[in-house]
Amino acid sequence: MSKANILVVDDEPAIRGLVQEILEDEGYAVRLAESAEEARVLLRQHAPDLLLLDIWMPGEDGISLLKDLAGSGSLLYPVVMISGHGTVETAVEATRLGAVDFVEKPLSMGKLLATVEQALASGPSGRAETEPLAMVEPVGKSAVLQALREQAAKVATTNSRVLISGPPGSGCRVFARYIHALSDRAQGPFLEFSGAAVNADIAAEQLFGVEEETARRPGLLELAAGGTLVIDRTSELATAIQDQLVAALEFGWFLRTGGSSRVALEARVLFVVREDIAQAAQAGRLREDLCYHLNAVPLYVPPLREHSEDVPELVTYFVDQLVDREQLPFRRFTVAAQNRLRHHDWPGHVRELGNLVRRLLVMGDGREIDVAEVAEAMAMDQASFDQSSDWTPTRVLDLPLREAREQFERAYLQRQLQRAGGNVAQLARLAGMERTHLYRKLRSLGIDQQKPEDVGE
């Protein structure tokens, strides 16, 4: 039985034949295409588990094909690029578009097989199904966490839709995974979709799939049948997509994009909202009828400061995970250091704590982490957000206009990004900027916004 289905796209017959022979010897099912045009036909017929894509081909090149696939929302499988003479710019562009790795010509068969195996394990865009710090069970012994776990356990025994809300980084996705793990769907697929920065057309194709004359491509709602689909940042989805979700919940079926055949909704859907539900509904970001559908079983994950007694146990969890999975050196937090962490406000919540623990293990020396080291690390965190000290009015007035403007914009957006908890959609609202322009501005200023898949989501 084949391990996986791999599509190889290369204009050189010798390369295609060699790769096919090697991969089939390893038990993979292999299909071949000699051009981007032929690859499109095969991709419409059947989505592969992995796409091996040559960059330099006559006609349409591999980067253009990758860009088109990523832009249409069709990139639900990992892509490895094949290049005979790539450049750094080409590699950066391909990675930005979603490629997970490169293999170079002349091909090393050992390197090829290792890359294929790693890419298949990582999934689309290189994101592994099991994140290094991803909790299966929420950590903490506080009354707040115990009550939440009990509520989640009760919900897990039903097929009810659940609305999970809480500030970014508080652990909403942890509770989604926990509900799935305790349910009778635990052996089924667990898929996640984020509504952040996704336009309506792409979201529709990714969630509901596509139906064309020659082929059907299932979406996440269909792929999650028998399991769970988590729709994260629900309030950031376009109104039209929220309308389609309401209809699917009401009728128990949906249509693929461009299709007319009903598809039964056999996945359990968990919705995550990273802001106050009432405010999101009042502002028009969250459909009221969607709220009505979901609010029957709400689960609110509070900020870390409201259950700060769990901080020591969370620290122990993060240390154990980082030492075990990332082979970081073990270091013990003193009681005074843990007490200092307990009394911190944690604007970034559990995610911020996990990232701080990682940095202390990586950057520090010695077996113990004392309160002074913790305080210094926290001060450095604050300084990174307070680079406004770099643009004090007296200094800025002495700079050329362009430099002064850049320093102000960088400090301003970093401050607003902190307020938004790393949520770019929320940042766009705070700054009053159109999101596409905001992404360009963040890149030009070298600001690395926090990713939704970071610790504590």
Side-chain angles (χ1 to χ4, degrees), residues 142-198:
S142 66
V144 170
L145 258 292
Q146 288 182 24
L148 275 173
R149 277 196 297 267
E150 290 173 7
Q151 187 179 355
K154 288 180 181 177
V155 168
T157 62
T158 73
N159 272 321
S160 299
R161 295 119 188 171
V162 183
L163 177 60
I164 306 172
S165 63
S170 60
C172 293
R173 282 172 55 215
V174 173
F175 276 93
R177 282 191 290 267
Y178 187 55
I179 290 170
H180 173 75
L182 294 180
S183 73
D184 59 4
R185 296 170 173 264
Q187 300 306 312
F190 178 80
L191 303 178
E192 298 178 85
F193 174 83
S194 175
V198 179

Side-chain angles (χ1 to χ4, degrees), residues 334-385:
T334 66
V335 172
Q338 292 180 55
N339 191 50
R340 176 68 179 84
L341 294 172
R342 277 193 62 173
H343 289 88
H344 184 54
D345 190 48
W346 298 114
H349 312 289
V350 178
R351 178 176 59 198
E352 182 185 357
L353 174 61
N355 288 338
L356 179 68
V357 171
R358 174 186 270 114
R359 189 161 62 256
L360 286 166
L361 295 187
V362 170
M363 303 302 293
D365 297 313
R367 297 283 292 179
E368 281 196 344
I369 299 172
D370 59 20
V371 66
E373 189 174 352
V374 166
E376 182 181 1
M378 287 180 167
M380 289 176 63
D381 271 359
Q382 189 60 41
S384 70
F385 287 115

Side-chain angles (χ1 to χ4, degrees), residues 229-387:
L229 173 63
V230 179
I231 300 182
D232 195 2
R233 302 182 186 271
T234 305
S235 61
E236 298 175 38
L237 286 170
T239 302
I241 301 301
Q242 293 189 36
D243 288 342
Q244 287 180 266
L245 288 170
V246 168
L249 296 176
E250 285 184 349
F251 301 117
W253 56 267
F254 58 90
L255 300 178
R256 301 183 190 94
T257 301
S260 57
S261 303
R262 293 183 180 182
V263 181
L265 178 58
E266 298 177 348
R268 181 182 194 170
V269 186
L270 306 179
F271 295 84
V272 175
V273 176
R274 305 309 181 97
E275 59 181 314
D276 182 86
I277 300 167
Q279 290 181 4
Q282 187 174 9
R285 292 189 294 274
L286 192 64
R287 280 283 309 268
E288 287 192 16
D289 46 358
L290 185 57
C291 286
Y292 297 147
H293 270 286
L294 303 177
N295 239 353
V297 189
L299 194 72
Y300 175 68
V301 184
L304 180 55
R305 63 179 174 272
E306 294 184 12
H307 56 108
S308 59
E309 61 267 44
D310 290 324
V311 166
E313 190 174 355
L314 284 164
V315 168
T316 299
Y317 170 82
F318 288 132
V319 170
D320 290 345
Q321 292 296 304
L322 289 163
V323 170
D324 182 47
R325 299 189 183 186
E326 298 186 19
Q327 286 74 54
L328 296 183
F330 175 81
R331 305 187 71 206
R332 186 180 69 84
F333 284 73
T334 66
V335 172
Q338 292 180 55
N339 191 50
R340 176 68 179 84
L341 294 172
R342 277 193 62 173
H343 289 88
H344 184 54
D345 190 48
W346 298 114
H349 312 289
V350 178
R351 178 176 59 198
E352 182 185 357
L353 174 61
N355 288 338
L356 179 68
V357 171
R358 174 186 270 114
R359 189 161 62 256
L360 286 166
L361 295 187
V362 170
M363 303 302 293
D365 297 313
R367 297 283 292 179
E368 281 196 344
I369 299 172
D370 59 20
V371 66
E373 189 174 352
V374 166
E376 182 181 1
M378 287 180 167
M380 289 176 63
D381 271 359
Q382 189 60 41
S384 70
F385 287 115
D386 280 348
Q387 286 186 341

